[in-house]
Amino acid sequence: FRRRLISSRISVAAATAVAQTTPDALIKTVSTEVIDTIKGDKTLQSGDVSKIISLVDAKVMPHVNFQRMTASAVGRNWRTATPEQQKRLQEEFKTLLVRTYAGALTQVKDQTVQLKPLRAAAEDTEVVVRTEVKGKGEPIQLDYRLEKADAAWKIYDVNVLGVWLVEQYRGQFAQDISSGGIDGLIAKLAERNKGAGKS
């Protein structure tokens, strides 16, 4: 028990240390951990989506500001949603994003992550960290928008192959809200997530 307590203290300390680093160091650490974990695990390499989702949940999600991400994707309608609707939207959007990110990770074989030089001043509280995932084929552009909140950097948008996810979903969500309101959007997201879970 004592050993487990010490190791959990070490992992909390490690997570705290990562949270207090620079935004590019955070992205490098998290990306490398995820890719190295996949490379070292045959079931992850075989594309076991549920295990990849658990990995993303454990390694990536603690560094994401989900409320800001969801509010940005929902747009002006976020302010008119009830606290319960906001909670449901965050849960369903998180599931959708985790599955999207996990789907991309099933392609990981021998890739490495390379960071591009960070263009930011020390006092900046919002930055873009640009990376390239390099392997056998064409490099994949993967960029992150981060904000500094309470001395920790948090991701609030991801750019995959030139498309910012929040912007991509904003248009789609606006259509769903105009046809069925906030509850209609929640229902659509829940339906999509159920469908993805079966595949």
Side-chain angles (χ1 to χ4, degrees):
F1 172 76
R2 190 161 169 221
R3 192 179 299 152
R4 208 164 53 218
L5 188 67
I6 290 166
S7 74
S8 75
R9 275 191 190 145
I10 290 167
S11 61
V12 166
T16 305
V18 166
Q20 290 170 345
T21 57
T22 59
D24 49 342
L26 169 69
I27 295 299
K28 178 74 174 171
T29 302
V30 172
S31 304
T32 304
E33 271 183 24
V34 168
I35 286 176
D36 288 351
T37 304
I38 293 171
K39 285 180 184 173
D41 188 321
K42 291 276 185 271
T43 56
L44 288 170
Q45 285 171 27
S46 70
D48 183 330
V49 177
S50 63
K51 274 198 85 171
I52 291 175
I53 287 171
S54 299
L55 172 68
V56 171
D57 232 0
K59 300 278 188 193
V60 182
M61 292 307 136
H63 304 291
V64 176
N65 179 343
F66 261 106
Q67 183 169 342
R68 176 167 180 179
M69 214 170 188
T70 311
S72 297
V74 173
R76 58 190 170 80
N77 294 290
W78 177 258
R79 289 190 296 277
T80 61
T82 66
E84 180 55 33
Q85 287 174 323
Q86 290 180 351
K87 183 172 173 278
R88 285 289 314 282
L89 281 167
Q90 275 190 81
E91 287 166 2
E92 295 297 345
F93 192 41
K94 178 182 175 183
T95 303
L96 179 69
L97 288 173
V98 169
R99 286 186 184 282
T100 303
Y101 199 74
L105 288 176
T106 59
Q107 311 304 313
V108 169
K109 299 289 178 274
D110 59 351
Q111 282 88 340
T112 56
V113 176
Q114 292 198 336
L115 267 75
K116 295 183 175 177
L118 179 66
R119 293 192 188 103
E123 66 275 7
D124 286 352
T125 54
E126 298 210 2
V127 298
V128 175
V129 175
R130 301 183 189 285
T131 75
E132 268 188 350
V133 181
K134 293 190 168 183
K136 285 195 176 83
E138 284 289 304
I140 298 165
Q141 177 193 343
L142 201 56
D143 301 334
Y144 302 84
R145 281 185 175 139
L146 294 97
E147 64 169 357
K148 194 174 197 177
D150 302 325
W153 287 97
K154 296 270 187 182
I155 299 161
Y156 68 89
D157 203 354
V158 181
N159 182 330
V160 183
L161 299 170
V163 179
W164 289 103
L165 287 182
V166 167
E167 283 164 26
Q168 182 187 359
Y169 285 116
R170 192 179 292 135
Q172 211 173 308
F173 288 2
Q175 285 178 341
D176 292 337
I177 291 167
S178 69
S179 64
I182 293 282
D183 286 332
L185 172 59
I186 293 168
K188 276 267 172 70
L189 285 168
E191 192 182 307
R192 191 183 306 171
N193 288 331
K194 276 198 192 93
K198 286 174 192 158
S199 59

